[in-house]
Amino acid sequence: MASPKTPPPLLYADSENSADALYFGRVGVPDAFVALQSGKKKYAVVSALEFGRVKRTSAFDVVLPLEAYVKKARATWPQRKAGPAEVIYLLARELKQSRFTVPEDFPAGVYEQLYELGLDLVIADGPLFPGRENKTPAEAAAIREGNRCSAAGIAAAERVLRESKIKGHRLIYQGRPLTSERLKFAIELACLEAGGASLNTIAAGGDQACDPHDRGTGPLRAHELIIVDVFPRIAATGFHGDMTRTFLRGRASDAQRALVAAVRAAQLAALHAVRAGVNGRTVHGKVVEVFTARGYETKQTPRGSVGFFHGTGHGLGLDIHEPPRMNGTLDRLLKKNSVVTVEPGLYYPGLGGCRIEDVVQVTSGKPTMLSRYHYNWELR
């Protein structure tokens, strides 16, 4: 994990909130625990509650009992509260390891205590595990499964929208107005049935959809664009899916059709540009070129930005957002086997918002699609 010039990694985190902890140990542990490397071996210190399972199922070479180290800490420092810093220090002393690399989000209190105890901690300049960007075939398959779950959620949304009745500008589903909340419930239930949990799902219509991270609230309306963005985490692996489709129940206007066509054309241009060695900024530029050629202006207004004002894509894996990024400000070459989203969008209050998102794995040639769902959006 660590190069000869870089101190080995040290973590104190739980795997629910730290993708690094999950990546390092390949096991789910819901409470913060000590994990580190010394030489070629990975070590974990866990409580009796987790010991047997972690020893049996994890990627750690050595699993140690927390209770034994707490006891040693109390004996070593009778006047000091025995906590993670003391446990880490005692294990490091046993391993004759005085230097570690810690992630940027390492707990500040534990860091300060370890510094006082005499350990030399280096904060990682960037990702703690850069290798996470290089997805193995098994990891790519896990992301594909995440997107199968995303597609199940999007299909549920499409079904509900198709079954909704149009009364003027209202959408009525099973005798009641269709709301963003009801649509998100259908999406999230479908994801649970497919083996994943979709939190913070977006089902936003009309002007709400013009704020890309507005989850959507209240009634959804006929003849308006509705963005459905589903990014579940698969329970069995911890890997994510991330897909977006835009729908409209009713009849679209010519302006709405032109908007959606522009977004799809921009996505295709970006997909065509994605390959190993290409700068992510170049991919983003292809999207901007399409929108500019079609007359879609991006600008800031007193009420917020309009047009295309976010990145074209981001890395996907154990985190929903991870390196690499594809936007207009970062110069970053895409690496072979990395996995990225491709998700251009346009947002104009009064007209509506549209975003189309798929996931691909970068290759030396045409990228490999890891998501699949149709692009038929006008549901009459």
Side-chain angles (χ1 to χ4, degrees), residues 2 33 36 49 51 62 77 93 97 146 152 178 183 186 191 271-272 286 297 299 338 360:
F33 68 104
L36 58 84
L49 180 66
F51 185 85
V62 181
W77 299 281
R93 189 171 67 180
Q97 188 78 47
L178 179 62
L183 194 59
C191 287
L271 288 168
H272 184 73
K286 298 297 182 182
E297 183 182 7
K299 61 182 180 180
S338 61
V360 299

Side-chain angles (χ1 to χ4, degrees), residues 258-267 269 284-298 307-312 343-348 354-356:
L259 186 81
V260 175
V263 172
R264 178 59 174 154
Q267 190 198 34
H284 181 80
K286 298 297 182 182
V287 172
V288 174
E289 287 176 11
V290 171
F291 290 153
T292 300
R294 297 192 180 209
Y296 291 101
E297 183 182 7
T298 297
F308 177 48
F309 48 87
H310 58 69
T312 292
E343 50 177 310
L346 288 172
Y347 313 90
Y348 295 99
C354 173
R355 184 167 63 256
I356 303 173

